[in-house]
């Protein structure tokens, strides 16, 4: 039986750790092993950065993370739902508009399927992982 989890996250980078932990817990509930959970958490963190910060001049004010679970399978959708940007004040993030391609490669190496789309300058990343 499918279950759906949804989180609305403030766009500040310090909240990505919270998302990683929440999605890791959801993945554990699907029966993934520790290595798979780490892969899912890493891919989710990169996806959050891509939709909220990377390749952008500011932070998205908020974004949404949706998880759809089936036995042995998780689908994660990270969506920029913000209509405005916040100024980047974190020194580490000032240069991150150029780091998006590395994140996409990492996500593709960790997840079974990945779709990246952009509509009206808002990115969406859809990722799926099936239990080994």
């Amino acid at each position: 039986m499918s279950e759906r989890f949804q989180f609305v996250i403030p766009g500040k980078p310090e909240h990505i750790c919270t998302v990683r932990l929440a999605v890791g817990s959801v993945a554990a509930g699907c029966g993934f092993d520790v290595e798979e959970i780490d892969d899912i958490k890493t891919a989710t963190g990169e996806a959050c950065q891509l939709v909220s910060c990377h390749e952008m001049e500011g932070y998205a004010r908020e974004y949404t993370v949706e998880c759809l679970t089936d036995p042995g399978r998780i689908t994660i959708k990270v969506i920029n739902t913000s209509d405005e940007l916040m100024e980047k004040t974190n020194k580490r993030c000032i240069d991150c508009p150029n780091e998006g391609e590395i994140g996409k490669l990492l996500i593709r190496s960790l997840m079974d399927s990945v779709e990246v789309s952009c509509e009206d300058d808002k990115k969406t990343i859809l990722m799926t992982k099936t239990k080994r």
Side-chain angles (χ1 to χ4, degrees):
M1 176 179 201
S2 294
E3 291 185 316
R4 183 175 170 265
F5 298 84
Q6 183 175 8
F7 312 97
V8 178
I9 311 298
K12 293 181 180 176
E14 54 265 29
H15 298 301
I16 292 173
C17 180
T18 304
V19 176
R20 287 172 43 93
L21 291 171
V23 172
S25 294
V26 171
C30 292
F32 287 96
D33 66 32
V34 174
E35 286 180 24
E36 293 168 319
I37 292 169
D38 282 342
D39 289 349
I40 291 165
K41 287 168 52 177
T42 300
T44 300
E46 288 297 324
C48 290
Q49 288 178 16
L50 280 166
V51 301
S52 69
C53 178
H54 286 337
E55 301 174 337
M56 296 166 54
E57 294 304 317
Y59 300 124
R61 184 151 307 276
E62 71 178 24
Y63 58 97
T64 301
V65 178
E66 297 176 1
C67 300
L68 181 63
T69 65
D70 291 301
R73 179 182 165 140
I74 188 168
T75 300
I76 304 160
K77 188 176 190 179
V78 183
I79 313 151
N80 177 348
T81 53
S82 182
D83 288 328
E84 59 183 286
L85 296 178
M86 298 182 297
E87 180 182 356
K88 288 185 180 181
T89 54
N90 184 333
K91 186 176 181 182
R92 190 179 104 183
C93 291
I94 291 173
D95 291 326
C96 81
N98 302 317
E99 297 177 2
E101 291 304 315
I102 295 169
K104 290 175 194 172
L105 290 172
L106 182 58
I107 294 167
R108 286 189 172 101
S109 73
L110 297 173
M111 301 298 281
D112 296 331
S113 71
V114 178
E115 295 175 30
V116 180
S117 61
C118 188
E119 188 173 313
D120 298 326
D121 290 332
K122 293 184 180 181
K123 277 187 231 133
T124 299
I125 298 175
L126 182 66
M127 312 173 287
T128 302
K129 183 127 182 127
T130 303
K131 192 173 181 288
R132 289 183 236 155

